[in-house]
Amino acid sequence: MKTQNCVCTSGKLFTQCCQPLLERTTLAKTPQQLMRSRFSAFALGGYGSYLIDTWLPSSAAGLDVAELSQRSLNWRRLEIVSKSQKGDQGIVEFKAFFLDQQGDERLHHEISLFRRHSGQWLYVSGDIAN
Ligand SMILES: [Zn+2]
């Protein structure tokens, strides 16, 4: 894993991209960084508690660490379409691609809202875009 490119397809090494966030040695500096790390958490599996902890608590009500730790979809790559930040609010539009059971590539296109709480970016909610 050490010399592998990050699963968020940033082109950076995992160790220099999402790993420090997932291992909690550093906090996301931007909504985009947090978004990427959450994609990696879903893609890798095993990071349910990271996902919960980076979710706005009121939005995460009813979510389950064990369930979120499961690698439920075969996520392949991530494209950031646009990003913006105003103070403690951020918006990231992204396209995340996964393979379905037939091996066909499928698209999850979302506009996500992020909010910074005590210096830490959190995922608030997302709208599916077309
Ligand atoms: Zn990454």
Side-chain angles (χ1 to χ4, degrees):
M1 203 76 200
K2 258 192 164 40
T3 55
Q4 274 182 10
N5 283 334
C6 193
V7 288
C8 80
T9 55
S10 61
K12 296 182 192 168
L13 292 175
F14 182 56
T15 52
Q16 288 164 19
C17 189
C18 294
Q19 188 181 35
L21 298 167
L22 295 172
E23 305 290 333
R24 300 170 196 252
T25 53
T26 187
L27 287 174
K29 290 182 189 70
T30 62
Q32 188 203 175
Q33 264 187 6
L34 184 73
M35 198 272 122
R36 286 188 171 281
S37 71
R38 287 173 52 87
F39 173 85
S40 294
F42 279 114
L44 292 166
Y47 288 103
S49 62
Y50 179 79
L51 288 166
I52 293 271
D53 291 348
T54 54
W55 226 301
L56 190 75
S58 56
S59 305
L63 293 173
D64 179 75
V65 169
E67 225 165 272
L68 288 169
S69 291
Q70 290 190 10
R71 200 171 164 272
S72 54
L73 287 173
N74 187 2
W75 294 104
R76 305 300 291 176
R77 60 193 172 91
L78 174 66
E79 274 177 35
I80 305 291
V81 177
S82 69
K83 54 189 177 356
S84 64
Q85 188 190 330
K86 233 184 200 174
D88 289 331
Q89 294 253 39
I91 292 170
V92 180
E93 180 180 355
F94 66 90
K95 291 180 177 178
F97 297 87
F98 61 95
L99 296 183
D100 68 15
Q101 277 164 345
Q102 282 71 46
D104 293 324
E105 194 174 70
R106 301 272 173 180
L107 167 66
H108 175 85
H109 185 185
E110 182 180 320
I111 300 171
S112 299
L113 182 64
F114 296 86
R115 199 178 298 160
R116 189 160 49 189
H117 260 267
S118 322
Q120 192 177 349
W121 284 104
L122 298 172
Y123 173 76
V124 179
S125 61
D127 282 322
I128 301 300
N130 289 304

